[in-house]
Amino acid sequence: VEQEQEARSLAGAAIEDSFSHTDKLMTELADAREWEELRQLTWRHLNSPNERLAARAHRLMALSLAHSENPSDREAAIDLFRSLIDKPDAVPTDLGNLATLLTESARTDEAKGVIIQGIRAFPANNAGYFSDIGHRLIESTGDKAFRKQMEEELTKRGHGD
C-alpha cells in the first residue's frame, strides 16, 4: 500500500482505483521495453494483496526475465510462465511466450506441447497466434510431423492453415 501511495505521488495523479497507477506504470515500462525497471517494480508487487495486480506482476516479471541475457533469468521466466498457464486467468501470450522461450532454449518438444495446448485451450480466433509460433518452430526444426499435428489441431478448431 505504501508503494502504491508512493507511485501515485510520483505520478502526481488523482486516485482512480486501488493500485491503478502501479498497473499503468507496469504497462508503460513494458511498452517502453524497460526490462530492468519493470523487474524491480514487479518484484515489489508479486505478493500484493490485490490479486489482479499480483497476477499481472507475475506475468510482467516473467516477461522482463525473458528479455534477460542471463540464462538463469530465462529459466526463471520459463518457470513463471509455466505457473501461469494452468491458472483460470491464463492468457494466450502466457503460452506463446513460454513456447518461444522453450524453443530458444532448444526444448522444442516441450514447446510443441505448449503450442498444441494453446490451440486447444483458447478460442479459435487465437489459433493464428499459435500457428505463427508453431511455424517458426517448424522452420527452425524442419519437423514435418509436428506441422501435421498442428494443422490437424487447427482444423479441429475451425482454423485451417
Side-chain angles (χ1 to χ4, degrees):
V1 172
E2 288 175 19
Q3 292 167 350
E4 176 63 16
Q5 289 171 342
E6 181 181 333
R8 287 180 184 162
S9 69
L10 289 173
I15 296 173
E16 291 175 20
D17 65 21
S18 182
F19 300 102
S20 65
H21 293 287
T22 301
D23 191 32
K24 285 180 185 177
L25 181 56
M26 283 190 228
T27 299
E28 289 172 8
L29 290 171
D31 289 347
R33 301 180 178 277
E34 298 289 344
W35 305 122
E36 186 57 39
E37 292 83 358
L38 181 61
R39 185 180 319 174
Q40 291 172 14
L41 179 61
T42 56
W43 176 256
R44 296 192 308 249
H45 296 284
L46 292 174
N47 296 312
S48 172
N50 181 304
E51 290 180 24
R52 189 186 63 76
L53 183 67
R56 184 135 165 79
H58 278 89
R59 185 167 283 116
L60 291 174
M61 171 64 83
L63 184 63
S64 70
L65 290 169
H67 285 87
S68 173
E69 295 298 319
N70 183 331
S72 64
D73 286 346
R74 293 174 68 80
E75 279 301 313
I78 288 170
D79 291 342
L80 276 171
F81 279 123
R82 266 195 212 287
S83 75
L84 293 169
I85 66 171
D86 292 323
K87 292 187 177 184
D89 61 346
V91 295
T93 55
D94 294 338
L95 285 90
N97 289 331
L98 177 58
T100 300
L101 280 168
L102 291 168
T103 300
E104 291 170 356
S105 299
R107 293 158 64 179
T108 56
D109 287 341
E110 292 174 74
K112 293 172 194 174
V114 171
I115 292 166
I116 298 301
Q117 181 181 353
I119 292 169
R120 291 176 179 165
F122 291 97
N125 63 342
N126 291 297
Y129 171 68
F130 292 109
S131 176
D132 291 344
I133 296 168
H135 282 292
R136 285 193 303 267
L137 188 145
I138 292 164
E139 286 175 17
S140 69
T141 63
D143 188 337
K144 292 178 184 174
F146 176 65
R147 179 186 191 113
K148 182 179 180 198
Q149 179 187 14
M150 186 176 74
E151 288 173 354
E152 288 172 357
E153 290 297 330
L154 289 166
T155 300
K156 286 180 193 174
R157 298 291 296 168
H159 187 282
D161 269 10

